[in-house]
Amino acid sequence: MTARLSFASLPAAHPPAVDPRELTVGIVHLGLGAFHRAHQAVFTEEAARLTGSTGWGIGGVSQRSTAVRDQLAPQNGLYAVLTRGPGDPSIRVIGSIRDILTAPEDPQAVVDRIAGPEVAVVTLTVTEKGYRAAAAGGLDLTDPEIRADLTGRPPRTVVGQLAAGLARRAELGAGPLTIVSCDNLVANGPFLRRLMEDYATAAGAPAGLAKQLEVARFPASMVDRIVPATTAADRDEAARLLGVRDEAVVVAEPFLQWVIEDDFAGPRPDWDRAGAVLTDDVAPWEQAKLRMLNATHSMLAYLGGLRGYETIAQAVRDEELARLAQQLMTSDVVPTLTPPDGLDLTAYGASVLERFANPALKHRTAQVAMDGSVKLPVRLLGTVRDRLAANAEPRLASLAVAAWMVYVARGQDVNGRPLSLDDPQADKLRAALQGSGQEPRQLVEALLGVESVFGPDLRESETFRGLLTGHVTALTS
Ligand code: NAI
Ligand code: CS2
């Protein structure tokens, strides 16, 4: 029986750069998923290694289950990042996660941890759907979980946890908090501040919460590293490389990037020492990344999934799909961008496709395809709107949207294999398609009518509807 990664069985060849037992918790992370462990936690450990600081240990919070806690707790919070790129994989044990809470089990403990005077920063990776935002913007106050938190129960939603934590900070006289969303959202910092303000208003604007919100900062950040869900084969590979089992190992490409708005309410980790970029304007970086990388990722996921490709790498090896992805970037996206100084968009586009082609990653089309109802507005519909406003036809962006429509409506690939609809609005999408008829025009009408995805403006656009109908016809004939 192979021993489990822990302090007692630390592989001599792979010690963590930092010993989490020497850290105090200065950061709370909500959403202890794969990406956090392969991105922010890596920057945080590297910053601690370079500076010797011990005050930025991470207090991780799992939001949905005890799975990650059960993986990490027996390992003293230690886990490895298995980097898969050209050549042999490399592995690094990370020691920046100091302890783990599980919100469903102990929501009050999460509130108390956020309220801790020693905590100065909260980071989040809770997926686009985790914010429970309304399609028209702001917090979805009809969301049953939000409404339940507003009754004063120990909070189960992320916004509810943050609000209760801030209110508790006010009671304790704790200093101002900096809350950094690391999710793929447009203007994720101001977006989250708006949700918090809506929640506070709905809660009757309690003085303590209002006061803490006044001094809190919500810097925007652009995050980038392709981190597929870990598989059993990844765990076996990690065990081979480490000589011990690591149930919490995460897999990632070599590339990583973090651009953060330099707007902190108080002290922050020296993330810049670890390679993060602090800037006063994240927007150009974020728009280039969401509209070039994430949009082509979604296009390849839907078109590739429909063609029966299991992985993004297989999809981008299909010459026609690679060409369409390239055209999406050059024809539709680039004209809408104001690139950040020094970013060559042509070279960036080429690097994106090269990263997608990494055969070692095995990033599943199904994983990228999930949550399309909340991803499309962020990645593709801004480009559609900007091109329509410029009296240009967003032909390739419309193709990506049409592929999503067929993926949702058909539910199977070219070989008849099922394509699961893993989406927070799955019921709403299915209801829209119920009895809509299978003609391309009917399918387009039905899904365009889902206002929480397309809003009223795109439903009324004859140009967009025409493009979608043409693409759906081609994709289903
Ligand atoms: P994951 O599935 O490993 O983790 C998702 C985390 O979000 C889990 O902790 C889960 O508990 C939480 N969560 C899910 N639904 C929630 C809800 N309704 N309310 C509250 N929490 C919820 O996914 P992963 O790979 O960590 O990605 C998470 C997010 O990180 C993505 O949605 C994206 O916004 C961002 N990201 C991911 C990248 C990747 O390649 N995986 C790269 C760049 C950004
Ligand atoms: C992907 C992203 O799953 C998805 O939707 O497009 O998680 C992507 O891997 C990251 O944004 C890359 O930084």
Side-chain angles (χ1 to χ4, degrees):
M1 174 77 171
T2 309
R4 186 80 176 264
L5 173 64
S6 71
F7 290 121
S9 64
L10 208 48
H14 298 282
V18 171
D19 183 338
R21 292 169 295 189
E22 292 168 6
L23 304 179
T24 55
V25 172
I27 304 167
V28 173
H29 183 77
L30 305 182
L32 200 56
F35 180 61
H36 172 70
R37 281 174 274 158
H39 186 273
Q40 304 99 56
V42 171
F43 277 100
T44 301
E45 185 193 56
E46 186 62 5
R49 180 184 74 84
L50 292 169
T51 63
S53 161
T54 59
W56 297 112
I58 297 167
V61 178
S62 281
Q63 289 291 329
R64 313 274 281 178
S65 78
T66 63
V68 174
R69 193 274 314 274
D70 296 344
Q71 289 169 351
L72 278 170
Q75 300 182 180
N76 308 117
L78 297 170
Y79 68 94
V81 177
L82 176 62
T83 300
R84 292 187 182 280
D88 294 335
S90 63
I91 199 158
R92 174 178 169 182
V93 174
I94 302 294
S96 53
I97 295 182
R98 184 69 183 81
D99 66 27
I100 304 107
L101 295 174
T102 303
E105 265 194 339
D106 194 348
Q108 191 54 46
V110 177
V111 172
D112 295 340
R113 174 46 58 89
I114 294 170
E118 74 287 352
V119 170
V121 174
V122 175
T123 51
L124 301 91
T125 50
V126 292
T127 76
E128 298 86 341
K129 60 185 177 293
Y131 294 83
R132 300 176 189 270
L139 186 61
D140 180 359
L141 293 171
T142 67
D143 180 287
E145 292 300 300
I146 291 288
R147 295 171 67 82
D149 280 2
L150 284 166
T151 64
R153 73 172 181 180
R156 299 293 173 85
T157 66
V158 166
V159 171
Q161 290 162 15
L162 287 170
L166 286 171
R168 183 78 182 119
R169 287 182 80 84
E171 290 167 7
L172 298 173
L177 206 54
T178 301
I179 302 172
V180 190
S181 169
C182 298
D183 280 295
N184 284 329
L185 294 164
V186 175
N188 49 22
F191 165 84
L192 180 51
R193 175 184 284 280
R194 164 86 190 271
L195 302 186
M196 296 300 298
E197 289 170 350
D198 289 354
Y199 188 93
T201 303
L209 170 56
K211 184 161 158 279
Q212 279 280 329
L213 273 177
E214 267 170 37
V215 296
R217 306 308 299 166
F218 291 79
S221 84
M222 184 279 271
V223 291
D224 192 0
R225 191 174 202 182
I226 297 175
V227 180
T230 302
T231 66
D234 296 324
R235 289 193 178 87
D236 291 344
E237 177 84 341
R240 181 182 69 79
L241 293 168
L242 291 173
V244 292
R245 289 289 301 173
D246 172 8
E247 294 305 324
V249 61
V250 290
V251 178
E253 65 171 333
F255 178 91
L256 79 165
Q257 184 179 31
W258 196 5
V259 180
I260 314 168
E261 185 181 2
D262 193 0
D263 178 17
F264 285 75
R268 65 168 173 81
D270 294 292
W271 285 322
D272 47 335
R273 293 286 303 277
V277 171
L278 274 294
T279 177
D280 58 7
D281 187 7
V282 174
W285 294 96
E286 166 207 287
Q287 199 176 47
K289 193 264 180 173
L290 291 176
R291 291 192 177 193
M292 288 184 74
L293 184 149
N294 291 108
T296 45
H297 229 184
S298 292
M299 172 188 252
L300 291 165
Y302 298 123
L303 288 175
L306 288 169
R307 289 192 180 191
Y309 295 130
E310 189 72 25
T311 68
I312 293 290
Q314 289 167 340
V316 81
R317 273 205 299 273
D318 177 316
E319 283 179 17
E320 185 187 12
L321 296 192
R323 181 172 48 73
L324 290 169
Q326 180 65 56
Q327 284 175 354
L328 168 58
M329 290 190 279
T330 47
S331 308
D332 286 7
V333 176
V334 166
T336 73
L337 298 180
T338 306
D341 293 344
L343 182 67
D344 174 335
L345 291 177
T346 304
Y348 180 67
S351 74
V352 162
L353 295 182
E354 194 179 329
R355 289 167 60 194
F356 289 165
N358 178 352
L361 269 191
K362 297 187 176 42
H363 200 180
R364 293 171 52 245
T365 47
Q367 179 179 354
V368 179
M370 67 187 278
D371 294 355
S373 70
V374 287
K375 289 180 179 178
L376 258 62
V378 168
R379 305 168 173 207
L380 281 158
L381 300 188
T383 295
V384 169
R385 287 187 169 95
D386 288 353
R387 297 306 286 151
L388 291 173
N391 292 319
E393 286 199 345
R395 200 171 57 82
L396 281 300
S398 303
L399 172 59
V401 176
W404 170 78
M405 288 182 161
V406 175
Y407 191 101
V408 168
R410 178 187 276 175
Q412 64 180 20
D413 69 16
V414 67
N415 306 311
R417 275 198 293 250
L419 296 169
S420 67
L421 178 53
D422 188 346
D423 193 292
Q425 301 189 65
D427 293 346
K428 190 181 286 189
L429 297 170
R430 290 193 187 99
L433 288 165
Q434 194 84 34
S436 72
Q438 284 304 308
E439 285 304 308
R441 183 182 48 75
Q442 294 168 316
L443 190 163
V444 167
E445 285 283 341
L447 290 175
L448 258 187
V450 181
E451 284 217 2
S452 55
V453 180
F454 294 102
D457 61 324
L458 291 181
R459 189 187 62 228
E460 303 307 323
S461 165
E462 285 305 321
T463 303
F464 188 42
R465 183 198 312 269
L467 286 167
L468 289 171
T469 305
H471 289 315
V472 169
T473 302
L475 287 168
T476 52
S477 56

